[in-house]
Amino acid sequence: MLLSVSLQKAVTVPLGAITNVARKIVHERTYAFRVATQAEDEIGIVVSAFNKMLDEVQERTTALEGSNAALQQEVAVRQAAEVALARANARLEGTMAAAEIGGWTRSLTGSEFHADRNFAAFYGIADEAEFTANPQLSMQMVHADDREVIARAQAEALATGMFATTQFRIVRRDGSVRWALARGRVQFDAAGKPQSLT
């Protein structure tokens, strides 16, 4: 009987305490609980190891929660920046549309041409993708008498880096003629080679 009581005190009670702490951790989802150590025998070593494991898990959980909080804050900041950028872009696009200002980029190393919606609308084109599909379209729509003016301006831009303000006419698909002003600059790569005209 005495041996049974002694074994219960030395083994069963500490193991029950470990089980109770494990249940609390599972139910309350916190690693703050610890098992009280009563002896420094083999069971005491097991209890101490269990508590140290909980210390490490709690430390890592706290670090992970901090990392998650920082990540959520970074995501919120990025989302706010994206919303602000979208609003600024919408305002800029609206202003450019009202002023009939369009943007374009012509590759000087290939045959690419990209235009924005305002540029396409000025030319009477419903879809700006037409300029991407046909990089020569914008030049094809320039009045025949003004193509040489554009060619000279582009050649000068390659020499100076700036596409000087150039006035020319475009002939829209409906036959109407519109005057346009173009200006821009040459974008160079790190080696100083011209890459695009914008």
Side-chain angles (χ1 to χ4, degrees):
M1 183 76 151
L2 288 173
L3 182 60
S4 174
V5 169
S6 176
L7 282 174
Q8 184 176 8
K9 184 177 179 186
V11 177
T12 308
V13 171
L15 290 178
I18 291 173
T19 303
N20 288 337
V21 166
R23 277 197 192 105
K24 286 181 181 179
I25 289 170
V26 169
H27 290 325
E28 299 189 28
R29 298 178 184 267
T30 176
Y31 292 98
F33 300 106
R34 297 294 180 273
V35 179
T37 53
Q38 297 173 353
E40 296 193 16
D41 56 6
E42 288 83 357
I43 295 298
I45 292 170
V46 170
V47 169
S48 179
F50 181 75
N51 285 338
K52 284 181 182 174
M53 179 192 71
L54 290 178
D55 289 341
E56 188 174 329
V57 170
Q58 184 176 22
E59 186 178 315
R60 290 184 182 185
T61 301
T62 301
L64 184 60
E65 287 170 352
S67 179
N68 284 342
L71 183 60
Q72 287 175 348
Q73 185 176 6
E74 186 178 322
V75 167
V77 167
R78 181 172 289 185
Q79 287 173 336
E82 287 173 0
V83 168
L85 180 60
R87 287 181 183 154
N89 283 339
R91 282 194 303 271
L92 177 61
E93 193 171 302
T95 302
M96 289 177 69
E100 293 189 308
I101 298 172
W104 51 275
T105 302
R106 179 184 301 281
S107 170
L108 297 174
T109 58
S111 59
E112 295 179 19
F113 186 93
H114 299 284
D116 66 15
R117 198 174 357 185
N118 295 333
F119 184 95
F122 187 79
Y123 275 71
I125 306 288
D127 185 358
E128 65 268 24
E130 281 196 50
F131 290 99
T132 304
N134 179 4
Q136 299 306 316
L137 180 59
S138 64
M139 280 302 289
Q140 290 166 357
M141 295 182 75
V142 171
H143 194 285
D145 294 342
D146 296 339
R147 289 181 187 157
E148 183 58 34
V149 172
I150 297 293
R152 279 197 311 268
Q154 287 185 352
E156 187 179 321
L158 289 175
T160 65
M162 293 299 296
F163 187 93
T165 302
T166 306
Q167 190 173 13
F168 61 97
R169 291 165 289 178
I170 59 169
V171 181
R172 297 172 74 168
R173 287 178 175 164
D174 62 6
S176 63
V177 176
R178 294 194 74 179
W179 281 96
L181 285 175
R183 64 181 298 182
R185 73 171 78 177
V186 177
Q187 303 293 326
F188 297 91
D189 66 11
K193 293 180 68 175
Q195 294 296 297
S196 63
L197 189 57
T198 328

